[in-house]
Amino acid sequence: MSKKGNDDLIQGTNDLSILSKCSMVSLGYIEDLYIKNFVNKPDTKRSSLINRVYQVRVRAVRSVLSKWLKALENVADKQIVSLGAGFDTSYFYLRDLHDQSAFKYVEIDYPNLVKRKMALSQVHKIFLDDNLDGEVDTPNVNIRDSGRYMAIGFNLKNVGESLTSLLESNGVDFTKPTMFLSEVSLVYMKPELSDRVMKWIGEQFNDAFICQLEQIEPDDEFGLVMMEHFEKVACPITSVYTYPNLRKQLARYRDKCGHTSTQGCNLLTFYCETYHPDEKCDVADREQFDEFEGWHRTCCHYSVICTTNSSKQTYQHICQSLIPSQHVKEEYEMEEVDSLMYTDEYNTENFPLIIRSFGHTSVQSPFNPNELLMVGGFGTSCLTPPSGKRAAHGRLSATVRIACNNRSKLVSNSQLSYPMYATSCITTINNIPHIIVYGGRTSPHNSSSHIRILPLHDDDDMTSSWQDVTTSGCCTPAGRCRHTADMVGDRMYVVGGRDESRVFNHVICFHVPTTSWRYVLDESAAFPAVHSHASAWWRERLLVSGGLGEEADCNVEAPMSVFVVDPERGQFERHDIPQLDVRYSHTSHVINNQLLLLGGVQLSHTPSDLSIIDLSTWQVVRRIRLGAGSVRNPLHMHGHTSHVTSHEEGRVVLTIVGGGSNCFSFGTSFTNTPLRLQLSLPSPC
């Protein structure tokens, strides 16, 4: 592809980005009176995930620029230079908010983009010049609002004397404090070219500030999907490999550019630490939402950096006040996994069984622990032979037996109507094993309170149908999803979960013989509101690990906690695990008095791992790195299910089914499973 063609494609990313911002604005996430003037289809609606992420992106940029102007309100003739501005509307926002502040705003981008922006702004008359008296146009420079705003058509790959001369001849003062903004723009350059831009800034401006927002973490499973997306659209962001994380980005400015103050965080930290709880709730209330994994993972893959080369301590302190500082933790030393690979023993006679889903539920067969029963989820059907094309994905309502020896098949033709984020257990009714499914959802605003059962037979009978169970008891649970359920004898213990507006803070018990509910811990017991956690049975108690609470309580610094619930006494105790950060959408198992935490999303963006906790000391004794997988098969260890399918002589085999999430605008991604994880797990001393 020619350079010109690549530049044209990069310019096209502006149109996609501005549409997404417009979608977010139209739903009230942020007020912007001007953005609709720069899109052809202002009624375009993006997904709630995309809207949320763009809200934080815009909020971060606005926050930095507004704080900077406020801090320098007594400094005359300060300047903001937006690099690769596209159709960004930050100038109009600042003009209205800081109408009395003396500042010059300069936008630099490809000449064609600048020409289009000026034409649209003239059609909609969004500059303040009366009768265009304040306008000046040359082939490369457009001046508006009586000189307060300037748009320059210039390819930043050619930065150097020509740009210096162009700025100087049009009133830019190199001795004044100047904020350079790069919102996902220079990242499209090769690193040597973007380094040249940063070097030029340092050489020309003595009191330069830089606010940079761009992608990071290209090498984990989400990063693989992200980088493949940009390759597919022929707009590779290769500099991310050179500056892949906060540590390397901060070092770039501190060591390579000689900057005197550097500060940085990812967008999730920015969100958690700068939004008031009421603001978080306002974001949550804008749209029905249930894509927490994609939301948190996306925010962890964008950084915002503020830095300055100024020798003035006052300016250095200002730089440090613009965004929160994220504690960059030392990487925890992890073991490498013994064996983690796709297993073909479930393949059928005619085609390989590949399960690509998340949000499903599964249990081990009562007839054979190596056989699994999978219900619902979101993904692609695993019962249709592959055609060579990627199958369309959607909600899955079938019940599938994942069996050895070429016997994988449908268990029932009966479809389950609430297929996502339900729970399943095995119980016995009238001496016949049944799978019992509780809760789940069809959409973020439609959760189920139903209990459904399906009789199981160790043959090829497909005549069984799901049956609703009529329940009674002292409590009538509300519909929910993202809860956990553990069957112990004839009792099913249910912990937490959420519906469209609440996160539940109770533990309830369903008694199968009497089909009745009762509270184990009700709302008055001060048990935490939690969803997307994991639970396991240990010594007549439930171990509830991790999870998310209410949106307003989102905290990247929260430690991992395990709650021990005693169902008989109606009591619980809490154990914090300081060596671990909070995680959710993981699975857990208890083996040899050890609690295994498999995968999950960690708000601190720790690599996906298997953590093992000694339950006699509540200390982490091992952490095993699971890896990121490959471009063709990213290893998303969240939204999955897992089962202990072998445990003998200190060796354990975990069979993992599914995993994945929506990955922002980069697409929905799944892990090809079943996977078989083998590890040595001797009994603790």
Side-chain angles (χ1 to χ4, degrees), residues 83-112:
L83 305 173
F87 290 175
D88 181 49
T89 57
S90 293
Y91 166 69
F92 305 106
Y93 166 77
L94 296 173
R95 182 188 68 183
D96 295 349
L97 187 66
H98 302 273
D99 59 334
Q100 301 302 316
S101 180
F103 68 92
K104 180 189 290 289
Y105 199 99
V106 181
E107 294 185 341
I108 304 174
D109 212 328
Y110 291 103
N112 184 53

Side-chain angles (χ1 to χ4, degrees), residues 477-637:
R480 70 193 63 210
C481 60
R482 292 181 174 268
H483 53 286
T484 58
D486 292 89
M487 184 64 68
V488 182
D490 56 10
R491 288 172 169 79
M492 180 175 69
Y493 294 103
V494 175
V495 180
R498 64 172 295 122
D499 62 11
E500 63 273 13
S501 60
R502 297 168 295 172
V503 180
F504 298 110
N505 66 334
H506 54 238
V507 180
I508 51 181
C509 175
F510 178 71
H511 186 227
V512 175
T514 61
T515 66
S516 61
W517 287 101
R518 69 173 177 86
Y519 279 114
V520 173
L521 297 170
D522 62 19
E523 284 83 351
S524 66
F527 190 76
V530 65
H531 70 86
S532 306
H533 50 287
S535 63
W537 188 251
W538 173 67
R539 294 183 177 177
E540 308 304 316
R541 293 170 175 82
L542 279 170
L543 299 182
V544 182
S545 59
L548 292 174
E550 297 285 358
E551 181 79 22
D553 300 326
C554 185
N555 179 10
V556 295
E557 298 295 333
M560 184 69 181
S561 297
V562 178
F563 292 87
V564 183
V565 178
D566 186 334
E568 292 304 314
R569 296 183 178 182
Q571 299 175 349
F572 71 93
E573 60 185 39
R574 171 176 175 164
H575 295 271
D576 286 341
I577 315 297
Q579 303 101 315
L580 299 180
D581 299 309
V582 67
R583 71 180 70 190
Y584 70 96
S585 198
H586 58 293
T587 52
S588 67
H589 305 277
V590 175
I591 304 173
N592 292 344
N593 205 44
Q594 297 174 95
L595 177 62
L596 280 62
L597 305 178
L598 179 60
V601 174
Q602 301 184 53
L603 300 185
S604 62
H605 192 63
T606 304
S608 184
D609 74 330
L610 170 64
S611 294
I612 302 177
I613 300 169
D614 185 335
L615 293 174
S616 61
T617 63
W618 297 101
Q619 297 293 309
V620 177
V621 293
R622 293 174 68 187
R623 294 189 73 177
I624 301 169
R625 187 187 307 274
L626 299 177
S630 64
V631 172
R632 292 182 61 85
N633 186 26
L635 184 61
H636 301 286
M637 201 58 70

